[in-house]
Amino acid sequence: MLPFRAAIFDMDGTLTQSTHIWDGVTDRYIEQLGHPLPEHYYQRIQGRTYEQAMAWLIALYGLNKTPGQMVFEQYQMIRNRYCAVPLKPGVLPFLQYLKGEGIPCAVATLADPRVAKEVLGAHGLLPYFAAVVSAVELDDKPKSDPAVFLEAATRLQTPAGDCAVFEDSLLAVETAKGAGFRTAAIADGKNAAQWDRLCALADWALHDYRELIPAAE
């Protein structure tokens, strides 16, 4: 039996192999609007959510758009590819196992809720989640703030200490751990340089979700 009563999953890089999917999208999008991407843009927006980054560009260029509109328009540029990215190894068997054990699950993501639900739906994963919580619904708080995890735990009616948070981001694992959650680090191409630190910090470090399914099952 697993030592938690509820599970909370990030989406990109945790459920889906999609951390690369936004690479270069903002560059192309801003160029289509007639502006260059600002110098050192990605260093300047570190620590911000996607919508916060768009708000910065709106202020910089005086764009007549909302941050949410800009994010969704960029999503439309990659929609087909995004909905077709592979799942992380073992995701579906693990979700099926959790459902069979009566362990409720939620998604906690920085993604626009419309995007998250469409991508999860395209993979047939929505029925496994009792809630999909987006930071966009919580004043766009980044994952340096535990708000999105705490809201997911609330919707699952389970205290943080009885929930496991599955994440590929070192920052998110640190945040969840600091808020009292159990944590599982999920290997991804973009966290290879931080993998040793993730292994030392998280309760579990996984390359395949089936590693957590008891052998007897």
Side-chain angles (χ1 to χ4, degrees), residues 11-216:
M11 186 174 73
D12 293 314
T14 299
L15 291 172
T16 58
Q17 297 186 42
S18 52
T19 50
H20 67 286
I21 205 75
W22 294 95
D23 291 353
V25 175
T26 298
D27 310 54
R28 299 196 303 274
Y29 177 73
I30 289 298
E31 288 173 4
Q32 289 175 10
L33 295 179
H35 300 283
L37 196 70
E39 190 175 4
H40 306 304
Y41 168 75
Y42 292 103
Q43 289 83 359
R44 291 182 180 187
I45 65 164
Q46 276 191 334
R48 306 187 194 209
T49 65
Y50 217 127
E51 290 213 1
Q52 288 171 342
M54 294 306 102
W56 183 72
L57 288 172
I58 288 168
L60 179 67
Y61 290 126
L63 302 173
N64 186 26
K65 291 180 179 289
T66 67
Q69 179 184 6
M70 290 178 68
V71 171
F72 201 67
E73 287 174 352
Q74 289 172 77
Y75 168 61
Q76 298 299 328
M77 295 169 62
I78 57 171
R79 186 175 190 169
N80 291 339
R81 286 195 300 123
Y82 203 165
C83 289
V85 293
L87 295 175
K88 302 292 283 193
V91 163
L92 192 54
F94 187 58
L95 291 175
Q96 291 169 339
Y97 171 75
L98 294 179
K99 186 173 183 177
E101 292 295 305
I103 296 175
C105 300
V107 171
T109 178
L110 298 181
D112 181 290
R114 297 169 294 179
V115 173
K117 289 176 182 177
E118 184 165 9
V119 172
L120 293 169
H123 288 285
L125 298 185
L126 272 179
Y128 294 97
F129 296 106
V132 177
V133 183
S134 167
V136 175
E137 305 166 287
L138 303 171
D139 297 324
D140 210 29
K141 287 185 168 65
K143 283 188 176 173
S144 56
D145 186 308
V148 69
F149 301 127
L150 293 171
E151 177 62 23
T154 296
R155 295 194 197 180
L156 295 177
Q157 299 182 334
T158 308
D162 290 329
C163 292
V165 168
F166 294 78
E167 270 281 358
D168 64 299
S169 158
L170 177 60
L171 172 63
V173 170
E174 289 173 338
T175 299
K177 193 83 172 176
F181 292 90
R182 305 295 297 274
T183 56
I186 306 302
D188 186 72
K190 289 204 170 183
N191 66 17
Q194 301 172 322
W195 187 242
D196 287 345
R197 293 174 64 190
L198 278 163
C199 290
L201 178 64
D203 296 286
W204 304 277
L206 307 173
H207 288 84
D208 189 311
Y209 281 93
R210 284 167 288 208
E211 296 167 38
L212 275 187
I213 299 177

